[in-house]
């Protein structure tokens, strides 16, 4: 191998040892633990070059070296492909997620699974409602003057709302309402459906116009985003296992994770279900998150991106393993939700 390739092998070995042991890595240890095929002197020279170029740094005098954000970036960029999980791991993921009975359960399970697989914080974004389509609207009479609306989307989301009519309604008119709503809305994206609902009162028969107006007003509320429900977070306690990975900043990281806007921004770039993105340290926009790395991906299908999911942890992270876990879980979640 040429000098550049050899230096990268040295960097790869430093990353592997530091991630595993959380101790600065010296040249002697590298020669003993890794089959680099060169002398300690050569390794020292390569480490000096890597340090000069900003890929590794010496945390304090008489210590070994640790990777910098730039070093981790080069390491991640040089991963030729995301190593797939073993068949046994894939089977376990599939079995665990396949048992979920609705959207909320799928997302809760996926977060729990990602946190367990990576031992980091896992986060999943709810399917963005504007990308969902209406699968069915059920209209039920709770009392003669009160209806229950049940909106079901293609992503499995179920939203229930009650409507006080101010007057009694017959079973026949309940059935007419059900037919009218489904004819107008089934198969439409929620972003388009809200406009369609707003026009329904003008098209309704005179005897149903007041009822349709009340139903439409309530239904429109179900067709807009629910920001307070958009994220599921799990495994936050994992960050406290190694406080040294967040010198003076763990509290800031935990507080930032509580801010949904911050986390949503971390996932905003994840637009492709086939591509794992990695933002390392200073690459994160939020100042509070610059001691972390974020591994994220979109889930759904290329034609129907539902949302983003990912993992937040220290920059001292098992990047290949974390990227493989995120890719696998996202694949199964997308498959489950798009096939329902």
């Amino acid at each position: 191998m040429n000098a550049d390739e050899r230096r990268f092998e040295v960097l790869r070995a430093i990353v592997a040892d530091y991630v595993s042991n959380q101790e600065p890595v010296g040249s002697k240890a590298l020669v003993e633990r890794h089959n680099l095929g060169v002398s300690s002197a050569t390794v020292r020279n390569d480490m000096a070059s890597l340090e000069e170029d900003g890929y590794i740094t010496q945390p304090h005098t008489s210590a070994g070296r640790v990777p910098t954000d730039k070093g981790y970036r080069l390491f991640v960029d040089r991963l030729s492909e995301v190593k797939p999980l073993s068949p046994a791991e894939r089977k376990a993921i599939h079995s665990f997620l396949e048992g979920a009975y609705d959207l909320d359960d799928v997302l809760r399970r996926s977060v729990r699974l990602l946190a367990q697989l990576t031992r980091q914080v896992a986060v999943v974004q709810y399917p963005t409602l504007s990308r969902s389509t209406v699968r069915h609207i059920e209209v039920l009479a709770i009392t003669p003057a009160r209806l229950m609306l049940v909106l079901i989307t293609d992503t499995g989301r179920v939203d229930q709302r009650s409507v006080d009519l101010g007057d009694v309604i017959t079973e026949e008119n309940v059935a007419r309402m059900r037919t009218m709503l489904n004819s107008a809305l089934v198969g439409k994206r929620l972003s388009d459906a809200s406009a369609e609902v707003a026009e329904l009162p003008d098209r309704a028969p005179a005897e149903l116009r007041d009822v349709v107006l009340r139903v439409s007003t309530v239904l429109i509320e179900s067709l807009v985003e629910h920001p307070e429900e958009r994220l599921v977070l799990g495994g936050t306690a994992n960050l406290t296992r190694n406080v040294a990975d967040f010198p003076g900043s763990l509290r800031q990281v935990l507080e930032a994770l509580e801010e949904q806007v911050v986390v949503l921004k971390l996932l905003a770039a994840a637009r492709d279900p086939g591509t794992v993105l990695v933002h390392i340290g200073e690459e994160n926009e939020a100042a509070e998150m610059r001691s972390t790395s974020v591994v994220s991906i979109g889930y759904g299908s290329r034609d129907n991106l539902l949302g983003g999911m990912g993992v937040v942890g220290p920059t001292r992270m098992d990047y290949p393993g974390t990227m493989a876990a995120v890719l696998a879980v996202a694949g199964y979640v997308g498959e489950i939700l798009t096939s329902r």
Side-chain angles (χ1 to χ4, degrees):
M1 66 179 75
N2 63 34
D4 284 343
E5 290 172 343
R6 191 184 67 237
R7 277 194 288 271
F8 179 71
E9 289 305 312
V10 170
L11 174 63
R12 190 203 302 272
I14 292 171
V15 170
D17 281 6
Y18 183 60
V19 167
S20 175
N21 303 322
Q22 204 179 353
E23 296 288 342
V25 184
S27 58
K28 183 180 178 183
L30 288 178
V31 172
E32 290 173 351
R33 294 174 187 156
H34 301 272
N35 184 25
L36 297 172
V38 293
S39 66
S40 292
T42 301
V43 171
R44 281 195 297 274
N45 288 337
D46 287 342
M47 290 176 73
S49 296
L50 289 167
E51 186 170 12
E52 186 176 339
D53 291 339
Y55 294 111
I56 59 176
T57 188
Q58 188 175 24
H60 41 79
T61 310
S62 303
R65 306 299 192 272
V66 301
T68 61
D69 289 356
K70 183 180 178 182
Y72 285 126
R73 169 48 60 196
L74 179 62
F75 171 77
V76 169
D77 288 347
R78 291 283 293 271
L79 291 172
S80 56
E81 59 183 24
V82 178
K83 180 184 175 184
L85 298 180
S86 70
E89 289 171 319
R90 286 182 168 276
K91 185 177 180 182
I93 291 172
H94 185 265
S95 298
F96 185 69
L97 293 179
E98 191 66 21
Y101 54 86
D102 62 12
L103 174 66
D104 294 326
D105 196 26
V106 170
L107 299 189
R108 281 194 299 266
R109 286 176 182 238
S110 61
V111 156
R112 196 183 324 148
L113 189 59
L114 259 185
Q116 289 172 351
L117 288 171
T118 64
R119 303 185 73 192
Q120 310 293 359
V121 178
V123 57
V124 179
Q125 179 185 16
Y126 263 80
T128 304
L129 290 179
S130 59
R131 299 191 193 108
S132 303
T133 59
V134 178
R135 176 178 288 174
H136 181 69
I137 296 179
E138 188 54 68
V139 183
L140 304 167
I142 305 173
T143 71
R146 193 173 195 192
L147 298 179
M148 171 69 76
L149 304 178
V150 183
L151 171 70
I152 304 169
T153 72
D154 61 335
T155 54
R157 185 164 193 141
V158 178
D159 205 347
Q160 298 183 13
R161 297 294 173 99
S162 61
V163 187
D164 289 314
L165 303 178
D167 201 353
V168 298
I169 186 171
T170 65
E171 283 295 333
E172 180 185 353
N173 282 338
V174 171
R176 290 172 69 190
M177 282 288 308
R178 185 184 302 117
T179 300
M180 187 187 312
L181 290 172
N182 281 287
S183 297
L185 303 179
V186 168
K188 286 190 168 57
R189 284 183 175 262
L190 268 64
S191 51
D192 300 326
S194 58
E196 190 76 21
V197 168
E199 296 175 4
L200 282 178
D202 294 333
R203 304 204 300 261
E207 69 274 17
L208 280 179
R209 192 159 296 151
D210 185 56
V211 172
V212 173
L213 180 60
R214 289 173 183 258
V215 167
S216 297
T217 301
V218 172
L219 193 53
I220 285 173
E221 294 176 6
S222 298
L223 296 171
V224 299
E225 298 285 4
H226 298 274
E228 72 281 1
E229 298 176 2
R230 290 195 53 196
L231 290 173
V232 188
L233 205 67
T236 308
N238 286 332
L239 295 187
T240 63
R241 287 185 296 108
N242 294 302
V243 179
D245 283 322
F246 306 95
S249 65
L250 179 56
R251 182 175 177 178
Q252 286 184 332
V253 172
L254 294 173
E255 288 175 350
L257 287 173
E258 291 179 2
E259 296 292 330
Q260 295 211 355
V261 173
V262 172
V263 183
L264 285 168
K265 283 184 178 178
L266 297 177
L267 298 178
R271 315 301 297 172
D272 183 354
T275 304
V276 180
L277 300 179
V278 182
H279 290 88
I280 300 169
E282 293 293 325
E283 296 170 358
N284 289 309
E285 182 182 334
E288 309 93 320
M289 303 301 289
R290 289 179 185 161
S291 61
T292 72
S293 285
V294 181
V295 179
S296 61
I297 193 171
Y299 70 90
S301 66
R302 293 186 187 278
D303 298 328
N304 185 21
L305 179 70
L306 299 176
M309 70 169 58
V311 162
V312 180
T315 55
R316 187 186 67 86
M317 177 189 290
D318 171 16
Y319 289 98
T322 300
M323 292 166 71
V326 167
L327 181 64
V329 173
Y332 282 119
V333 171
E335 185 180 306
I336 289 168
L337 294 181
T338 55
S339 65
R340 289 189 171 187

